[in-house]
């Protein structure tokens, strides 16, 4: 018999004898411990990977959000077009005044006959219509009338407001509102204006 084969055969026999001498319960415990150690190693690796993913997510959350570049500011031509687009129409001035009177009536105010002055601004190429309106009513109603007028007619400015009360106990006040209507000859189109128009 080959000596190599004999060595293998004797080693196998010694292993079998050793396994017979070992308690099966000890073998089961050793196998369980070996399996537990392998599972713990796998869990530790997974925990490390999960911890790294959490750390990366926290770094991303702390990083500032990408900021979109601000929109380009409008050009001077765009600003000028927007300005002229807001102007009222000159030929509709009477209708716009009627609207002011209707807003006043809605707030229980009666407007007295006012003073009106029209002019043309050659530089801005627009008409202005300045109106001084005396009005009497409650303080709150007068302010609400002014705000509603500005909302309804965005091309109107409130230039001045003055109040006067005859006595402290009087619920109504007298007010004078000065408004300016900014008007174009045609919508969105600046005109050269009339020859000899006042500035």
């Amino acid at each position: 018999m080959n000596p190599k084969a004999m060595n293998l055969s004797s080693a196998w026999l010694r292993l079998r004898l050793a396994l017979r001498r070992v308690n099966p319960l000890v073998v089961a415990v050793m196998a369980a411990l070996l399996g537990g150690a392998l599972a713990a190693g796998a869990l530790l690796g997974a925990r490390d990977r999960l911890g790294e993913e959490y750390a990366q997510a926290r770094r991303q959350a702390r990083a500032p959000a990408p900021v979109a570049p601000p929109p380009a500011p409008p050009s001077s031509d765009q600003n000028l077009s927007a300005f002229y687009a807001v102007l009222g129409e000159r030929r509709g001035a009477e209708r716009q005044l009627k609207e002011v009177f209707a807003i006043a009536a809605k707030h229980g105010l009666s407007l007295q006959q006012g003073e009106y002055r029209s002019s043309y601004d050659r530089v801005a190429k627009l008409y202005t219509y300045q109106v001084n309106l005396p009005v009497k009513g409650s303080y709150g109603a007068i302010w609400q009338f002014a705000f509603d007028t500005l909302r309804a007619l965005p091309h109107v400015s409130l230039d001045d407001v003055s109040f006067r009360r005859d006595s402290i106990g009087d619920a109504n006040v007298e007010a004078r509102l000065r408004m300016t209507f900014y008007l174009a000859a045609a919508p969105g189109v600046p005109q050269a204006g009339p020859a000899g128009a006042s500035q």
Side-chain angles (χ1 to χ4, degrees):
M1 192 175 222
N2 187 350
K4 220 179 202 184
M6 278 189 72
N7 283 341
L8 266 171
S9 180
S10 83
W12 177 245
L13 182 60
R14 279 196 291 269
L15 180 63
R16 280 179 32 205
L17 289 173
L19 285 175
R20 281 192 187 159
R21 276 186 262 155
V22 176
N23 187 344
L25 185 59
V26 172
V27 170
V29 168
M30 294 294 281
L33 286 174
L34 181 62
L38 289 172
L43 284 174
L44 285 173
R47 187 186 72 176
D48 290 344
R49 284 191 302 277
L50 190 60
E52 179 55 37
E53 287 174 10
Y54 279 146
Q56 184 177 359
R58 281 193 296 272
R59 282 193 299 271
Q60 286 177 347
R62 278 193 299 263
V67 179
S75 69
S76 58
D77 287 341
Q78 289 170 323
N79 281 334
L80 193 60
S81 294
F83 170 76
Y84 282 112
V86 173
L87 296 179
E89 277 192 70
R90 182 173 183 228
R91 54 188 167 158
E94 188 177 319
R95 179 186 44 79
Q96 294 164 40
L97 272 176
K98 284 181 182 175
E99 190 170 351
V100 170
F101 278 77
I103 293 169
K106 184 178 101 175
H107 291 289
L109 303 171
S110 62
L111 298 179
Q112 307 298 321
Q113 184 64 32
E115 301 167 13
Y116 308 96
R117 188 169 65 102
S118 178
S119 63
Y120 179 75
D121 186 329
R122 285 192 177 103
V123 175
K125 296 181 181 159
L126 57 87
Y127 294 88
T128 58
Y129 196 60
Q130 197 171 77
V131 182
N132 285 303
L133 295 171
V135 61
K136 189 169 184 175
S138 73
Y139 186 78
I142 292 170
W143 275 118
Q144 198 58 53
F145 156 66
F147 293 141
D148 286 353
T149 300
L150 295 176
R151 274 192 285 270
L153 303 167
H155 57 280
V156 173
S157 68
L158 179 61
D159 304 328
D160 187 48
V161 181
S162 60
F163 292 95
R164 187 173 73 84
R165 188 188 306 252
D166 289 333
S167 66
I168 286 182
D170 195 356
N172 288 330
V173 294
E174 290 181 20
R176 182 168 287 277
L177 288 79
R178 189 174 76 233
M179 299 179 170
T180 303
F181 291 64
Y182 294 92
L183 309 167
V189 181
Q191 299 293 320
S198 63
Q199 286 195 32

